[in-house]
Amino acid sequence: MEYVKGRPFFCENVSRIKNYPYLSKDKYCDILIIGGGIDGSIANYYLSDKYDVVLVDKGRLGFGCTSCATALLEYQLDDFAKDLLPYMSEKEICMAYKMGLEAVDKIQYLINHYGNTCDFNLRPTFLFSNSIFTKSAIEEEYKFRIKNNFICELFDESNNPFPFSIKSGIFARNGGCEFNPYLFEKLMIENAKNQENIFENTKIDKIENAFLGFVATTNFGEKIYCKKIIISTGFNWEILNTNSLCERFITYSVVTNSLKDFMWFENALVHDAVSPYHYMRLLPGNKIIFGGEDSVYKGKDINENLATKKYVKLTNDLFKLFSNRKDIKIDYSFCGCFGTTPNNLGLIGESKYDDNILLFISCGANGIINAMKGIEVIEDILEHKDNKLIKIFSPKRDC
Ligand SMILES: Cc1cc2nc3c(=O)[nH]c(=O)nc-3n(C[C@H](O)[C@H](O)[C@H](O)COP(=O)(O)OP(=O)(O)OC[C@H]3O[C@@H](n4cnc5c(N)ncnc54)[C@H](O)[C@@H]3O)c2cc1C
């Protein structure tokens, strides 16, 4: 089955910094992490500090959905707070927003420590609508944030600083950041403590219970004996023999040519709140990445004809947004799978299959932010400590 299609912008024109071997003999470890996308690499980075961890990926590290994540890293969630109330209390929603802000700080800390090798920038976020029907929902969301001390401003037609039309929008100056997701994955992988325990081109075909834990068998028959397993296989759940962890969609993106003398207000991360929604940000070299137009993922290969139609629709919508620019051309188009849950948060914690099989699967348009804080949930579970985020991330909740 396919999870990514097209020419993902982020891993093109990047020379590979380091290759990892495939596993060629049996291994013993405390924790086996299956899947080395951005989730698995974050888990591996933090856990290999304290445990004997083996990380395996069936292909090249970072070439799954990570390679096409637009990487708008925002503190807000996909839905308005009012729409999340059936699934989380007001306190929990605020906790999730706060977690987003803390995740941005955590990424910034890593960049300060290791250097900016992944085109990282702090960015404001801008959630807007150009529809009169969504204007009141945006205003309600703004009031919710102000009431709960999240600093933001409300823009409308009268004070709109953006070069496109809006009816209303929430601007949060310290709301987010951006990076190249593939290069951030490399930063996590290459700075992890367990360099000799990272394996590419090593697929896990089977997990079985064994004395004091599990034995995972690779496609070439090697065995990895471990006490715990972390599943970071993204939205590919074949290893768990299920198709129903959460809803899956395909989201589509186009990337433009470099645009001369082009920017918008503070180069904010822009998200619109209509359906189907769109999102965009500026890439190095003043290219726009513009995405959205999600369709349901049917668990089969990605439909090429549908993808082509979606790229045309995105291109036309982008041209309309910046109708005064006649020099916009599309250089890249690609799409990939992502999962969503009713409360917009990832599936992170003990699985319903076995408490020693943990899921670490980031969901929603904000998955990467989830993962940066979600790893603290995994760390606390492993240390038998309480964590107030366990409940809202639990894979055992109703998804
Ligand atoms: C077009 C697009 C735009 C997005 N935009 C954003 C955004 O703006 N912000 C945001 O936060 N998120 C965004 N996302 C979501 C984000 O991409 C995901 O949350 C994130 O990439 C998931 O990472 P992952 O490591 O779980 O999955 P993946 O990167 O897919 O990694 C899973 C890995 O598991 C490996 N694997 C699978 N099965 C096995 C097995 N049996 N044995 C060994 N290895 C296995 C695969 O080879 C793969 O490398 C976007 C997604 C898409 C598709």
Side-chain angles (χ1 to χ4, degrees):
M1 271 189 288
E2 270 178 336
Y3 297 88
V4 172
K5 204 171 189 79
R7 282 177 66 202
F9 171 80
F10 293 108
C11 51
E12 282 217 5
N13 309 315
V14 172
S15 54
R16 294 209 66 202
I17 308 153
K18 192 165 175 184
N19 292 295
Y20 291 88
Y22 58 87
L23 183 70
S24 55
K25 60 176 193 226
D26 292 356
K27 274 256 163 208
Y28 292 82
C29 61
D30 294 332
I31 301 173
L32 167 65
I33 300 175
I34 307 178
I38 202 157
D39 288 354
S41 72
I42 290 170
N44 183 63
Y45 173 84
Y46 286 101
L47 298 180
S48 61
D49 231 15
K50 297 184 200 149
Y51 302 95
D52 180 15
V53 178
V54 168
L55 170 74
V56 295
D57 195 289
K58 69 177 176 153
R60 291 169 67 179
L61 294 163
F63 272 72
C65 296
T66 297
S67 65
C68 58
T70 326
L72 284 89
L73 308 164
E74 307 174 272
Y75 82 104
Q76 64 214 2
L77 300 178
D78 302 0
D79 293 321
F80 292 127
K82 74 173 170 58
D83 298 323
L84 294 168
L85 281 170
Y87 313 106
M88 288 192 285
S89 66
E90 192 166 323
K91 195 170 158 210
E92 286 170 333
I93 296 167
C94 292
M95 230 154 67
Y97 283 14
K98 194 157 165 273
M99 171 184 87
L101 294 171
E102 288 167 2
V104 173
D105 289 346
K106 211 169 160 184
I107 295 168
Q108 194 182 12
Y109 173 85
L110 289 167
I111 302 296
N112 290 341
H113 188 73
Y114 291 113
N116 191 353
T117 53
C118 58
D119 301 326
F120 167 86
N121 290 299
L122 287 171
R123 293 287 184 220
T125 60
F126 186 56
L127 176 69
F128 84 101
S129 168
N130 193 27
S131 156
I132 198 70
F133 302 108
T134 334
K135 189 172 190 295
S136 59
I138 294 260
E139 286 164 2
E140 199 182 327
E141 173 70 17
Y142 170 72
K143 284 184 194 146
F144 174 87
R145 294 196 199 178
I146 292 295
K147 185 181 109 187
N148 290 292
N149 302 317
F150 292 101
I151 300 165
C152 54
E153 295 163 60
L154 189 68
F155 291 142
D156 61 21
E157 284 161 298
S158 67
N159 62 353
N160 174 17
F162 287 88
F164 44 84
S165 305
I166 66 164
K167 289 284 180 283
S168 62
I170 303 169
F171 180 80
R173 192 168 298 279
N174 300 316
C177 64
E178 62 186 18
F179 56 41
N180 176 322
Y182 176 72
L183 291 179
F184 182 76
E185 190 263 358
K186 291 284 157 274
L187 186 146
M188 292 281 85
I189 283 288
E190 290 173 15
N191 289 295
K193 290 266 163 62
N194 60 339
Q195 292 300 302
E196 72 296 347
N197 275 349
I198 299 174
F199 300 96
E200 295 184 273
N201 300 311
T202 302
K203 180 171 185 258
I204 299 297
D205 269 347
K206 196 164 58 175
I207 299 172
E208 292 164 296
N209 287 94
F211 181 62
L212 294 181
F214 304 96
V215 55
T217 309
T218 72
N219 49 335
F220 289 113
E222 282 79 20
K223 299 201 182 300
I224 305 172
Y225 298 89
C226 56
K227 294 179 195 145
K228 301 208 185 250
I229 291 183
I230 295 183
I231 306 282
S232 286
T233 54
F235 309 105
N236 172 350
W237 312 317
E238 278 165 40
I239 191 74
L240 294 170
N241 291 320
T242 182
N243 254 336
S244 62
L245 288 182
C246 68
E247 276 192 282
R248 289 181 291 187
F249 293 88
I250 299 293
T251 188
Y252 303 83
S253 289
V254 293
V255 175
T256 69
N257 52 331
S258 286
L259 298 167
K260 206 161 174 271
D261 301 323
F262 184 83
M263 65 171 294
W264 56 70
F265 187 59
E266 306 217 2
N267 288 345
L269 310 175
V270 177
H271 225 115
D272 74 19
V274 291
S275 180
Y277 65 88
H278 297 116
Y279 45 86
M280 64 179 175
R281 72 175 176 96
L282 276 176
L283 298 171
N286 275 358
K287 297 165 191 278
I288 308 170
I289 184 163
F290 184 69
E293 292 293 325
D294 304 356
S295 64
V296 173
Y297 177 67
K298 303 219 170 88
K300 296 187 238 160
D301 283 352
I302 294 173
N303 182 326
E304 184 96 54
N305 290 336
L306 179 63
T308 305
K309 282 187 196 149
K310 297 284 185 181
Y311 301 142
V312 170
K313 170 82 168 56
L314 282 173
T315 305
N316 290 338
D317 287 347
L318 183 65
F319 288 168
K320 265 189 233 151
L321 213 55
F322 299 106
S323 53
N324 61 329
R325 296 287 305 213
K326 301 296 172 213
D327 54 343
I328 300 181
K329 294 190 182 66
I330 302 302
D331 280 348
Y332 291 82
S333 46
F334 50 89
C335 59
C337 184
F338 76 105
T340 65
T341 58
N343 75 354
N344 296 179
L345 299 177
L347 303 166
I348 297 177
E350 288 168 351
S351 72
K352 58 186 174 199
Y353 306 97
D354 189 311
D355 283 354
N356 290 313
I357 298 183
L358 297 127
L359 303 192
F360 192 64
I361 299 171
S362 61
C363 295
N366 226 0
I368 298 168
I369 285 279
N370 276 211
M372 284 306 292
K373 284 299 281 183
I375 188 57
E376 293 170 20
V377 169
I378 298 286
E379 288 173 304
D380 285 344
I381 290 174
L382 293 174
E383 287 171 30
H384 306 288
K385 285 190 196 154
D386 200 15
N387 183 314
K388 54 186 191 297
L389 300 174
I390 287 180
K391 182 177 150 226
I392 57 176
F393 273 126
S394 171
K396 293 176 184 164
R397 73 190 191 275
D398 212 1
C399 293

